[in-house]
Amino acid sequence: MAVWTLGLNHRTAPIDLRERFAFASEKLAQSLQGLQQKFATHKEVTILSTCNRTEIYCAGDETHLPQTLAWLAETGQTQVDVLASHTYRLEGDASARHAFRVASGLDSMVLGESQILGQLKDAVKLATDTGTLGTTLNQLFQRSFAVAKEVRTMTEIGAHSISMAAASVRLATGIFENIKDTRILFVGAGEMIELCVAHFAAKSPRSITIANRSPQRAEALASLHGASCIALADLPKKLHEFDIVISCTASTLPLIGLGAVQSALRARKNRPMFMVDLAVPRDIEPEVKKLNDVYLYTVDDLNDIIQSGQAHRQAAVTDAEVIIDQGVHKFMSWLEHRRHVPLILELNVQADAWRQAELHKARKLIEKGDDLDAVLESLSMGLMKKMLNGPLRELHHAEDAHLETTRDAIRHMFLKA
């Protein structure tokens, strides 16, 4: 089996291109099946889709990257050559190394962050439940999880990490002298928003409000921090009440439009608003960034702040790469041995046929009343002759140029202790 990876991330593609290829969670299973069914060559498929990356992992009899690229371009309604210029295409050991580096947090915007490992595990579970994960990709990802655990245990890759949430707080303190005087709105209630709420709550703002599609989840998060909740439908008329807005949902369309923000600014008499859009596709219309008195940041805008802590972790990267190299070597060795499986199966079938044939003869002799020792002798002799027939035939008919090689092979397989 061959393995290959097609992807685009925060390094290779801008956010306006990445959001075209962000798969909605409710449609991921359908997309997995669609790709697998469209090409008979894609026997196994897994898709990882986050705010910073979209990656397709495949396994099949041969590598078929052009078909994978064409399918993804069609999915995102983008020309193949345009998409190709923003993607990375990997196969074999390079594909395995990439998966291990992603799981270990070495390929993340926040070097060493652990959230990606959970997202990768979720992607693998979905592929398993959908029926598109087979033996090869399962081995690849299970080994990547083990390598990620070893990297975090044996290195300091996660030390000095500046998260998206921490970066958002740092930016906000540059706009508002005292966070304690601000009212904050969080749109969404997923893992990223949970982290952001915890970071901002530690600054004791005047109020925290949460808006989410699921009221139950919003209320559960609000109860942890003494916050209140509002309905998503109430966002346009209540937006002016908030100084800080942090949004991260799985919506495929913007939840906060230009008109709503303009109305909020008028109601606030142009008092500044700080907004962070951590979603891909974006929750806040990009045009909002052009408004005076609005400070809007996307995940890509946070990159400079996040990079400030990278130097402290570079020494750990070298140690992590050694662990990853070992993991890649072991996986490729396993993959190489998988090539022998069809031959091993054929040998087992042939050996079992010999066994069944000799057993059949032995049972007939016993039914005739032959001596049991004589029957066992006949059975063992029959098996021995069948087992040695092939090597002896090769030895007798081998050409002179191959005779020594044949002898060495027979010695190695039959005479080596």
Side-chain angles (χ1 to χ4, degrees):
M1 293 285 278
V3 294
W4 66 96
T5 303
L6 169 70
L8 64 159
N9 63 18
H10 57 282
R11 294 191 186 91
T12 68
I15 191 170
D16 59 342
L17 183 66
R18 293 204 310 274
E19 62 187 359
R20 296 187 198 176
F21 301 98
F23 288 83
S25 56
E26 65 273 12
K27 295 182 179 179
L28 249 180
Q30 181 181 348
S31 298
L32 284 167
Q33 292 173 332
L35 175 55
Q36 187 185 53
Q37 293 168 3
K38 183 161 186 176
F39 304 109
T41 53
H42 294 57
K43 298 186 183 300
E44 302 180 30
V45 179
T46 302
I47 298 175
L48 172 65
S49 183
T50 75
C51 60
N52 286 329
R53 70 182 65 244
T54 294
E55 295 180 342
I56 302 175
Y57 294 86
C58 301
D61 295 332
E62 295 179 5
T63 303
H64 289 274
L65 277 164
Q67 292 94 325
T68 315
L69 179 66
W71 178 85
L72 186 60
E74 181 182 355
T75 300
Q77 298 180 327
T78 302
Q79 293 182 347
V80 172
D81 57 345
V82 172
L83 177 59
S85 65
H86 291 283
T87 61
Y88 38 92
R89 282 148 282 175
L90 311 166
E91 54 185 291
D93 59 346
S95 181
R97 177 171 284 103
H98 181 75
F100 292 175
R101 295 185 85 255
V102 168
S104 301
L106 268 66
D107 195 63
S108 299
M109 180 182 288
V110 182
L111 182 62
E113 59 94 6
S114 58
Q115 187 180 9
I116 186 63
L117 181 59
Q119 293 168 327
L120 186 55
K121 287 182 177 180
D122 289 342
V124 171
K125 184 180 185 304
L126 179 62
T128 301
D129 295 343
T130 307
T132 63
L133 188 81
T135 302
T136 301
L137 287 187
N138 183 59
Q139 274 289 320
L140 173 67
F141 291 122
Q142 294 306 321
R143 289 169 184 263
S144 76
F145 301 155
V147 164
K149 181 178 180 180
E150 186 175 356
V151 166
R152 296 191 180 283
T153 303
M154 303 301 293
T155 75
E156 294 186 359
I157 195 67
H160 312 287
S161 179
I162 300 177
S163 66
M164 292 278 189
S168 299
V169 172
R170 188 176 296 188
L171 277 172
T173 55
I175 307 300
F176 300 100
E177 186 175 343
N178 195 341
I179 299 295
K180 291 182 178 181
D181 297 329
T182 63
R183 292 181 171 86
I184 307 177
L185 171 66
F186 294 96
V187 183
E191 185 177 352
M192 181 63 76
I193 290 295
E194 288 180 4
L195 292 171
C196 289
V197 172
H199 276 73
F200 276 96
K203 299 293 183 180
S204 303
R206 180 174 295 180
S207 69
I208 293 176
T209 303
I210 298 170
N212 190 54
R213 196 174 305 278
S214 166
Q216 294 83 2
R217 189 158 184 172
E219 289 166 4
L221 180 57
S223 65
L224 293 175
H225 301 280
S228 58
C229 300
I230 63 171
L232 278 180
D234 292 336
L235 276 181
K237 63 183 180 183
K238 289 185 175 290
L239 194 59
H240 68 280
E241 299 176 7
F242 304 103
D243 307 295
I244 296 174
V245 179
I246 313 290
S247 187
C248 186
T249 75
S251 174
T252 56
L253 296 172
L255 298 175
I256 301 175
L258 177 62
V261 179
Q262 288 174 323
S263 297
L265 285 175
R266 285 194 294 269
R268 290 173 60 83
K269 298 181 179 178
N270 294 318
R271 281 183 293 117
M273 291 181 71
F274 171 75
M275 309 180 82
V276 178
D277 188 351
L278 297 174
V280 178
R282 284 170 282 190
D283 285 339
I284 304 172
E285 287 188 344
E287 293 77 12
V288 170
K289 197 166 191 173
K290 299 177 182 178
L291 296 175
N292 293 327
D293 303 313
V294 173
Y295 300 86
L296 172 61
Y297 296 87
T298 66
V299 287
D300 288 358
D301 296 324
L302 299 180
N303 192 39
D304 289 341
I305 293 177
I306 289 169
Q307 295 302 320
S308 64
Q310 302 286 61
H312 298 289
R313 299 190 294 280
Q314 286 304 322
V317 171
T318 302
D319 296 333
E321 294 285 11
V322 172
I323 296 172
I324 288 170
D325 284 343
Q326 293 171 347
V328 171
H329 176 73
K330 290 177 181 177
F331 173 73
M332 295 307 295
S333 295
W334 175 86
L335 199 60
E336 179 66 21
H337 286 131
R338 289 286 296 172
R339 293 176 56 192
H340 307 321
V341 169
L343 180 58
I344 292 171
L345 291 175
E346 286 183 44
L347 284 172
N348 283 328
V349 169
Q350 180 63 78
D352 190 61
W354 291 341
R355 183 181 67 85
Q356 294 287 354
E358 293 305 318
L359 273 176
H360 180 70
K361 290 180 184 176
R363 289 192 178 104
K364 291 185 70 174
L365 291 173
I366 292 173
E367 290 172 1
K368 287 171 56 180
D370 285 14
D371 179 70
L372 185 59
D373 285 340
V375 172
L376 291 175
E377 183 71 18
S378 174
L379 183 147
S380 62
M381 287 295 294
L383 284 174
M384 184 180 73
K385 287 179 180 178
K386 284 180 169 60
M387 182 178 68
L388 294 179
N389 179 58
L392 291 175
R393 185 177 64 247
E394 289 299 316
L395 190 62
H396 292 319
H397 295 91
E399 297 179 3
D400 290 343
H402 302 114
L403 185 56
E404 196 57 39
T405 301
T406 302
R407 286 173 175 169
D408 288 341
I410 291 173
R411 289 192 190 99
H412 183 77
M413 288 188 287
F414 293 93
L415 303 177
K416 190 174 181 181

